[in-house]
Amino acid sequence: MQEEFSFHSISSNFKIAGKYVSCERYGEGHINDTFRLTMNDGGKEVHYILQRINNRLFTDVEKLMRNIELVTEFCRESVLAHGGDPLRECLNIVRTKEGKTYYFDGKDYFRVYVFIENATTYQTVRNPRDFYESAVAFGNFANLLAGFDASQLYEILPDFHNTRVRYANFMSAVQKDICGRANEVREEIDWVNAHSDLCEKIVDKIATGEIPLRVTHNDTKLNNVMLDDATGKGIAVIDLDTVMPGSLCYDFGDSIRFGCNSAAEDEPDISKVHFDFDLYKTYLDGYLSAVGKSITQREKELLPWGAVVMTYECGMRFLTDYLEGDVYFRTHRERHNLDRARTQFKLVDDMLAVFDKMLAAVKM
Ligand code: ADP
Ligand code: GN1
Ligand code: MG
């Protein structure tokens, strides 16, 4: 795809050594435009991650980047204190020549990160061990954030995981039906309505103070953690755009939603989509082993609901976007968001069928 901006000229605004070599699309995120930039620095190829920030969603880039700056600095100090390598174990912002954390070219906002080499993000779980390691990494990250002063952070996307608000937005999209697609997805709309009791399961517990509001990642899918190619360990949690007040149940739940799917998030053949209980158990073990000290008993009991609710909410968001004309998540084909929504609804059905087992696994 031909981009409408010059990578060479954008990258020349950042403190990057060497000569521009190339830049190509990278990764499978749904929100930002991500590229891998290659520079030649004295005969050595050096890579960077260049991102065009989704300004439609992140309307206040200054605040977004301030959050990321604070979190990455905090992470860096912790890695240094543990004798680790901060260039590999956390995101590092590369500043502009003017010392800013992002560059605005008059139309778009860009940022650059140090490229974490010899590590990989996966789109599906290749084996239980990887998934276990991702759970440990996200559990450790939750522990790290437990020491972070929440009052410093802007709530960059308010109500991000407020499932009641998501449901209200969904209802409004159904009612407006601006693309005339509602009739075609009547069955899915009815399914969402029939399960609307799920909306209250987590947000209401936060509202009543039953479980605490914490600083959480809020987007803990497998492709937002980098696993070291040599050791298989989760080395760095990335995609920090949504670090905000949230719940451990959201973070646990979102990982389960994505990783315990026997098929891809956008698998069009629904007969291939199953909830993998064994992987759920694997992730639970890894997460609890790492998050151990910080989690409360009530949060622990609500982890399985976190999985169901996050999957329900995400499916509802995909369906909302389908009804609104595919304006939020990046799509690559017709009905892409609808395929995504259907996989999520199938997973919720599967989870509810084994919910007692999911709960029993936590209590063991
Ligand atoms: P989005 O918000 O669109 O999901 P991400 O920040 O998650 O964007 O980046 C998309 C993908 O780019 C990631 O899944 C990962 O594969 C890759 N990526 C992002 N940051 C880095 C990094 N610092 N080093 C190496 N790869 C990265
Ligand atoms: C988006 O940015 P990415 O691709 O990691 C979305 C998440 C969804 C996810 C579904 C900021 O995540 O909330 O759960 O897609 N991020 C944002 O795959 O909306
Ligand atoms: Mg991502």
Side-chain angles (χ1 to χ4, degrees):
M1 187 172 76
Q2 188 66 43
E3 309 300 339
E4 64 267 42
F5 44 86
S6 151
F7 293 120
H8 189 172
S9 121
I10 297 294
S11 58
S12 70
N13 292 284
F14 288 86
K15 283 184 194 156
I16 296 177
K19 272 185 69 181
Y20 175 87
V21 177
S22 62
C23 196
E24 68 278 340
R25 250 188 200 273
Y26 197 76
E28 295 191 27
H30 295 337
I31 300 297
N32 297 299
D33 289 308
T34 303
F35 306 91
R36 189 178 74 153
L37 170 68
T38 305
M39 305 292 290
N40 183 322
D41 188 14
K44 190 170 166 261
E45 285 212 334
V46 184
H47 299 123
Y48 295 89
I49 284 287
L50 168 67
Q51 282 183 324
R52 175 163 63 162
I53 299 169
N54 183 331
N55 185 221
R56 194 169 185 277
L57 174 59
F58 302 114
T59 49
D60 195 331
V61 173
E62 184 73 38
K63 287 185 177 160
L64 170 79
M65 292 311 293
R66 179 66 187 142
N67 277 2
I68 294 178
E69 190 181 7
L70 287 167
V71 174
T72 52
E73 275 170 10
F74 188 74
C75 178
R76 186 184 170 80
E77 276 164 31
S78 158
V79 169
L80 282 171
H82 291 95
D85 175 359
L87 284 177
R88 288 198 82 224
E89 293 169 39
C90 48
L91 275 184
N92 287 268
I93 300 172
V94 177
R95 288 177 182 269
T96 67
K97 287 179 176 160
E98 291 171 347
K100 288 180 66 109
T101 52
Y102 62 90
Y103 171 72
F104 180 57
D105 72 351
K107 184 169 170 280
D108 291 308
Y109 293 84
F110 297 87
R111 67 183 167 206
V112 172
Y113 290 123
V114 170
F115 193 93
I116 301 171
E117 299 282 0
N118 306 316
T120 307
T121 54
Y122 295 97
Q123 304 306 324
T124 50
V125 174
R126 287 181 316 170
N127 56 58
R129 188 167 166 247
D130 282 356
F131 199 41
Y132 183 89
E133 294 301 344
S134 79
V136 171
F138 280 126
N140 283 333
F141 194 72
N143 257 330
L144 174 78
L145 292 180
F148 188 86
D149 173 11
S151 69
Q152 296 183 88
L153 286 183
Y154 297 106
E155 191 173 357
I156 216 76
L157 300 171
D159 291 324
F160 190 62
H161 286 313
N162 186 329
T163 318
R164 284 186 182 277
V165 171
R166 294 290 187 186
Y167 183 63
N169 293 345
F170 164 75
M171 295 292 276
S172 153
V174 172
Q175 209 186 8
K176 291 190 186 129
D177 192 21
I178 56 164
C179 297
R181 292 175 173 180
N183 263 341
E184 172 208 349
V185 294
R186 192 51 61 190
E187 206 180 305
E188 285 76 12
I189 293 171
D190 290 347
W191 185 95
V192 172
N193 286 329
H195 292 78
S196 64
D197 59 316
L198 293 174
C199 292
E200 73 199 40
K201 297 282 183 210
I202 305 292
V203 279
D204 288 17
K205 311 288 184 296
I206 298 172
T208 58
E210 221 174 292
I211 55 172
L213 193 64
R214 302 174 178 273
V215 183
T216 50
H217 183 280
N218 294 303
D219 190 3
T220 48
K221 56 183 183 178
L222 186 65
N223 64 15
N224 286 332
V225 61
M226 305 212 60
L227 302 189
D228 189 291
D229 291 341
T231 66
K233 299 266 179 218
I235 47 160
V237 169
I238 60 169
D239 201 347
L240 304 176
D241 291 334
T242 52
V243 174
M244 279 183 299
S247 164
L248 290 186
C249 301
Y250 298 153
D251 280 5
F252 174 81
D254 201 37
S255 298
I256 298 301
R257 172 192 80 74
F258 191 82
C260 299
N261 183 352
S262 60
E265 188 185 59
D266 59 356
E267 172 59 55
D269 179 356
I270 214 70
S271 70
K272 293 188 180 154
V273 177
H274 305 286
F275 172 64
D276 187 327
F277 177 79
D278 292 337
L279 282 180
Y280 163 81
K281 186 78 182 61
T282 299
Y283 193 93
L284 181 67
D285 291 346
Y287 194 73
L288 289 179
S289 76
V291 85
K293 298 145 277 170
S294 1
I295 195 164
T296 68
Q297 188 57 31
R298 191 66 186 125
E299 281 175 313
K300 236 167 141 177
E301 288 163 7
L302 287 168
L303 290 177
W305 278 125
V308 179
V309 170
M310 291 303 293
T311 312
Y312 173 71
E313 182 189 282
C314 193
M316 186 158 69
R317 291 173 63 197
F318 288 141
L319 189 56
T320 304
D321 198 28
Y322 183 68
L323 290 166
E324 292 180 339
D326 308 310
V327 289
Y328 186 95
F329 297 103
R330 182 178 303 111
T331 53
H332 303 288
R333 57 176 193 253
E334 292 264 300
R335 297 193 174 77
H336 202 165
N337 273 317
L338 180 55
D339 287 340
R340 289 171 176 154
R342 286 177 172 152
T343 64
Q344 304 303 293
F345 300 155
K346 169 64 165 60
L347 289 173
V348 171
D349 282 337
D350 283 6
M351 286 182 203
L352 291 175
V354 294
F355 192 77
D356 290 348
K357 258 172 74 180
M358 289 172 73
L359 196 59
V362 177
K363 287 188 175 148
M364 275 185 339

